[in-house]
Amino acid sequence: MYRLSPLVLLAACGIGSPLSGPGLADDGTPVAEGPFIAVATHTRVARGAGKAFDAHVDAIDAQLEQQPGFVARAFRGRIPGRERWTLSVWEDEESMLAFAYAQGAHTEAMVETADVIEGVYSAKWEVAPEDLPIPWSEALEHLEAERPTPPWRE
């Protein structure tokens, strides 16, 4: 009988967290009325740079929890691998932009990891309250529609 190694089984495995955050009730429904803005990102980290990139996650997560207009987030990564995905939901675009580009852990991480990123792209779309929580499959569809070929495969 042929047996697969556990490493073979993990070769293309993505592991992700469910959508969670201060703007969602325990059952996953939004606290605010909506509609909301969803943003998915897909990043590829340079070989051997995963720890440098991942070292910023806790500080960014802490910033998210305090950010006005933040509803929820989820993370995903390929195991083993260099690809990372994020999914965030916001009350409005202004709140999302304030988090992404104002002073704070996210901006610092973008500067400090710029040399270890092989490529990044994102998709943004409006989400009705009844469509929360967003499954990863939907977020990945939006990313593919935005950019069918990731920058590191061009």
Side-chain angles (χ1 to χ4, degrees):
M1 177 196 237
Y2 184 74
R3 294 183 59 191
L4 289 176
S5 157
L7 290 177
V8 171
L9 293 174
L10 286 174
C13 181
I15 185 166
S17 65
L19 196 64
S20 64
L24 295 180
D26 290 340
D27 65 357
T29 59
V31 175
E33 290 184 23
F36 302 100
I37 299 294
V39 178
T41 63
H42 185 184
T43 305
R44 182 170 168 144
V45 181
R47 195 172 307 279
K51 287 183 181 180
F53 182 85
D54 294 343
H56 295 276
V57 170
D58 289 340
I60 292 170
D61 202 38
Q63 180 185 351
L64 273 173
E65 289 291 327
Q66 303 301 315
Q67 190 71 35
F70 169 65
V71 176
R73 98 313 246 131
F75 302 104
R76 179 182 167 103
R78 190 174 310 279
I79 306 295
R82 301 181 288 146
E83 294 176 61
R84 311 288 191 275
W85 292 263
T86 63
L87 171 60
S88 59
V89 179
W90 300 87
E91 290 180 6
D92 52 59
E93 189 165 0
E94 293 78 21
S95 298
M96 180 270 298
L97 291 172
F99 165 77
Y101 301 110
Q103 292 296 322
H106 186 263
T107 305
E108 290 171 17
M110 288 193 307
V111 170
E112 292 176 14
T113 62
D115 60 338
V116 300
I117 302 294
E118 290 184 353
V120 62
Y121 64 106
S122 63
K124 179 181 69 167
W125 68 100
E126 189 171 287
V127 179
E130 61 270 14
D131 293 332
L132 290 178
I134 302 166
W136 269 111
S137 58
E138 180 181 342
L140 296 175
E141 287 174 10
H142 281 280
L143 281 165
E144 185 169 333
E146 185 69 30
R147 188 165 191 155
T149 303
W152 52 88
R153 292 190 187 130
E154 293 179 333

